[in-house]
Each structure stands twice: as C-alpha cells, then as structure tokens.
C-alpha cells in the first residue's frame, strides 16, 4: 500500500511547486506594473504639452494600457495562487 501514497505525495509536491512559482511570477508582474506606472507618470506629467508629439502621446497611452493589463494579471495570479493553496491543503489532509 505505500506505493499508493507515492503519487499523492508527488502530486502534492507538484502543487506546492506550482504555488511557489505562481507567487514568484505574481511578485515579478507586480514589480513590472509598479515600474511601468512610474514611467507612465513621468511621461505624462514630465513632458510639457508643447513638447509632445503624436508618437509620445501614443506611448503614454500604451504605458497606461500595459500597466492595466499587468494589474489584471496580478489579480489573476493571486486567484491562481489561492486555488493552488486550497488544493495543497486538501492534499495535505
């Protein structure tokens, strides 16, 4: 019967590993979103209206859209981590 526990243990480790990796990715994406938000503010506030070109305006809008996508990705990764944590607790029980 010990052989039956091996796959469960392996599965449990896989869930734990996925949880750890998703938390690391979440942290990286959060940092990228924060850095991009700073770039957006600098471009938006630091460049006078007179000096702006259409390309710069598009870049400013694009940084805003990318920051929003990254923030949504952080939210999704948080939900994934929560689901993995719940699964991990189930397997540990």
């Amino acid at each position: 019967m010990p052989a039956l526990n091996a796959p469960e243990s392996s599965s449990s480790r896989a869930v734990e590993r996925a949880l750890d990796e998703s938390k690391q990715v979440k942290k990286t994406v959060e940092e990228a979103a924060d850095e991009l938000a700073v770039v957006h503010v600098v471009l938006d506030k630091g460049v006078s209206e007179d000096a702006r070109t259409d390309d710069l305006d598009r870049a400013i809008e694009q940084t805003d859209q990318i920051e929003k996508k990254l923030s949504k990705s952080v939210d999704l990764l948080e939900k994934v981590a929560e689901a993995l944590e719940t699964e991990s607790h189930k397997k540990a029980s």
Side-chain angles (χ1 to χ4, degrees), residues 5-85:
N5 290 337
E8 185 176 323
S9 177
S10 176
S11 175
S12 223
R13 284 193 300 265
V15 170
E16 285 293 324
R17 194 168 39 252
L19 176 59
D20 290 342
E21 289 172 1
S22 72
K23 286 179 179 180
Q24 290 173 353
V25 170
K26 178 182 171 276
K27 183 179 177 188
T28 300
V29 172
E30 281 177 325
E31 290 170 356
D34 291 344
E35 291 170 12
L36 191 56
V38 170
V39 170
H40 176 74
V41 168
V42 169
L43 289 174
D44 194 33
K45 305 286 186 218
V47 179
S48 70
E49 290 292 326
D50 298 346
R52 288 190 181 187
T53 63
D54 288 342
D55 287 340
L56 181 58
D57 283 337
R58 277 193 296 277
I60 292 169
E61 180 59 30
Q62 194 169 16
T63 60
D64 184 51
Q65 295 303 316
I66 294 168
E67 191 273 329
K68 287 177 182 175
K69 285 180 184 179
L70 287 171
S71 292
K72 286 180 183 177
S73 295
V74 167
D75 292 341
L76 180 59
L77 283 166
E78 194 168 290
K79 289 177 184 174
V80 168
E82 288 172 6
L84 287 169
E85 199 157 357

